[in-house]
Structure formats: C-alpha cells, structure tokens
Amino acid sequence: MTHQQILAKVANKYFARCIDDEIAYLTYQAMLGPQAKNKAPEEWLTEILPQLLARWNCLLEAPEVSESTVHSTWLAIAITLHKYGFQDKDLTQKAIDAIDYMNKHVLSSDDLFRKSEEIKTFLKSSPEPLKRKPAYQDSVTFFRAEDVISIQYNKHFYVAYVHEVNTGNERPVVEFYDGVFESIPTLDQVKNLKAKGRGIEKPVISKFGIYNRTHLPDFANQFVLLAIGVKEKPDNSMLEIPAGLYTMSSLYDIQLNIRQLFLLKG
C-alpha cells in the first residue's frame, strides 16, 4: 500500500494535490541552505508544521465546516507528511481517530473500511526520510487585477487589492487595506479604507507579489475572493515611495508579511 493509494480513498484528487503541493514546497524551503543537511527530519518538521497549521486551521477551526471534512483533512495531512518523511504523534492520532470516525459514520468506502487496520499500522510506521529536496508545482495564479481578496491569519481577516498579475501568470501583486476584521468583511466595509503601509513614523507603500497561490477556491479556506473588477484602488497617497516596486512573497511567506505589516506578535 502506498501513500497515493491511501489518499485516493480519503480525499478527491484536487484536494490531495493541493496539500501535497504545499507540503512539498514547505519541505523544499526547510531543506535549503548549508545547515539544513545536518538537521534531522524532526527539526525540519518544527519549521514546517506551524506554517502549515496556521494556514489549514482556517479550514479545520471554521465553525461552518463539517466534522467529516475536518477528519478527512487531518487524515490527508498526516498521510502526506508521512510521504515526505515526517511523523508527528498528535497528527498520527488525529488520523487514526479520523479513520474510526469515517468507519463509524459510514463515510468510508468499502475498501477503506476493510483496510483500516493496515492503514493505521502504515501511519504508525517510521517514514522513510527524504534523500533530496522534493519537487513542487510551478506557481500559477487564478486571481486577476482589480480583485479584492480576504486573507485569514490567526483568526483575523485582512483584505488586499490585486493591482496586477505578472506576465507569466505566476503571482498577483497585492496591497493591503488598513483594516483588521473579526470575520470575512464585505466590499462595502473596506472600499473606503486607506492602504496599509509598512513602518510607523514614515510608513511606505507596501505591495507583495504572492507566489504559489494556485487553487481557487482555496481548499484551506484562507483566501476568499470578495469582489472582481474593482476600479478604485486603496488610497496610498499619504505613504512614502518605497525603494522597490513590491516585496517577493509566497503563499506561506505572506503570513510573516502580515505580522510585520500589522505589527503583530509571534
């Protein structure tokens, strides 16, 4: 039995591909640099897991998401991490609980039901460590210029305006509105807000080119499209001119960018 065979039993191929792409990307990033080769998989996992969960908790902790979806997501994450040579005790237990839940509520296929114990044993087994950095999919974006998007981070919601998409259709270039929300806002709540600039005394215009934001709708529930064709950009006339056009970012780096831009702790 392979990881791919198990994933095919618990998640549709697009959902599974999304999780695989993201864990492959995070694993690749963790394995970069001269010091990385001296680290054990457990050390890489301490870098990967907090970033992964900060994003996927947008789905896992959402009150409107069904319990069955939560269980299947935990199972898919645990299987994929195992595929890339990682194992976490708590995640493995969540995956085992998910199998039991799916069987109890008749949500699993006959094949999954019959092979449940085999899959549990497989998940508990020590994964094979990677010998080289994994490949991951090229960056493609489905956002377009003049989109307005909500981005959830740490149970709060931030809104960004898409100024442009680069010629290769790899990344949207976004600028944040100066607002923080407790739930996904409407366009009316943000359209009159000014742009958020980086810095305190002399804040500067702050735009970000986000790589690896491919799937739309977002399976992790973190990015939500609020509106399309919005002509009026957030007003940044009060901000200083930056040294560059925008900051290179990614699906996961944007979490750090939000913390820095909005002066968040952690």
Side-chain angles (χ1 to χ4, degrees):
M1 182 173 293
T2 67
H3 297 94
Q4 202 61 37
Q5 289 171 334
I6 301 172
L7 280 170
K9 303 178 195 305
V10 302
N12 73 60
K13 64 179 181 179
Y14 305 107
F15 187 89
R17 185 185 302 164
C18 177
I19 291 176
D20 193 286
D21 287 349
E22 294 187 20
I23 292 177
Y25 170 79
L26 289 171
T27 302
Y28 182 95
Q29 295 298 319
M31 294 176 72
L32 286 177
Q35 301 300 321
K37 64 181 180 180
N38 298 320
K39 292 182 179 180
E42 294 78 12
E43 294 176 277
W44 292 333
L45 188 59
T46 61
E47 298 177 27
I48 293 167
L49 201 53
Q51 297 181 75
L52 185 71
L53 294 184
R55 172 166 152 71
W56 283 88
N57 278 342
C58 299
L59 174 73
L60 293 164
E61 297 180 351
E64 70 274 13
V65 173
S66 68
E67 194 171 355
S68 60
T69 297
V70 171
H71 280 293
S72 62
T73 302
W74 280 123
L75 182 53
I77 288 173
I79 294 166
T80 309
L81 283 171
H82 194 278
K83 171 186 173 181
Y84 285 98
F86 303 116
Q87 191 174 56
D88 177 82
K89 182 179 179 181
D90 290 341
L91 276 181
T92 299
Q93 187 58 54
K94 286 180 183 295
I96 290 170
D97 292 342
I99 293 171
D100 291 339
Y101 177 91
M102 293 168 74
N103 288 339
K104 178 181 178 180
H105 294 273
V106 199
L107 299 172
S108 56
S109 65
D110 289 343
D111 194 34
L112 176 61
F113 181 81
R114 289 195 301 269
K115 295 181 179 178
S116 292
E117 294 308 313
E118 184 181 349
I119 294 170
K120 290 178 185 179
T121 300
F122 185 86
L123 283 168
K124 291 176 183 177
S125 67
S126 297
E128 184 177 346
L130 290 180
K131 295 181 174 62
R132 61 179 65 90
K133 293 188 289 292
Y136 59 91
Q137 295 295 319
D138 291 338
S139 179
V140 178
T141 184
F142 290 98
F143 287 120
R144 294 293 178 262
E146 301 180 350
D147 285 350
V148 176
I149 59 178
S150 168
I151 304 175
Q152 184 181 352
Y153 176 66
N154 198 21
K155 299 185 179 180
H156 289 89
F157 298 83
Y158 306 84
V159 183
Y161 181 88
V162 180
H163 283 273
E164 61 180 279
V165 173
N166 75 313
T167 303
N169 204 42
E170 297 171 309
R171 62 185 180 273
V173 176
V174 309
E175 183 175 26
F176 284 89
Y177 293 86
D178 191 3
V180 183
F181 301 87
E182 298 298 319
S183 59
I184 297 176
T186 64
L187 181 62
D188 285 340
Q189 289 177 280
V190 302
K191 65 182 181 182
N192 294 322
L193 295 177
K194 295 184 181 298
K196 178 68 174 177
R198 178 179 287 155
I200 300 176
E201 293 184 3
K202 293 183 177 181
V204 300
I205 294 172
S206 303
K207 297 178 183 178
F208 304 90
I210 308 177
Y211 276 97
N212 310 112
R213 175 70 288 274
T214 298
H215 302 276
L216 185 69
D218 182 10
F219 288 113
N221 213 29
Q222 184 180 30
F223 286 71
V224 175
L225 180 63
L226 297 183
I228 63 174
V230 178
K231 302 295 183 183
E232 187 175 354
K233 304 173 183 179
D235 180 13
N236 60 18
S237 60
M238 79 299 297
L239 302 174
E240 300 285 327
I241 303 298
L245 294 177
Y246 55 85
T247 299
M248 298 298 289
S249 186
S250 73
L251 175 61
Y252 280 93
D253 289 338
I254 199 65
Q255 297 176 164
L256 172 62
N257 299 144
I258 288 173
R259 290 204 305 271
Q260 293 173 337
L261 185 63
F262 288 88
L263 304 176
L264 306 177
K265 295 180 180 180

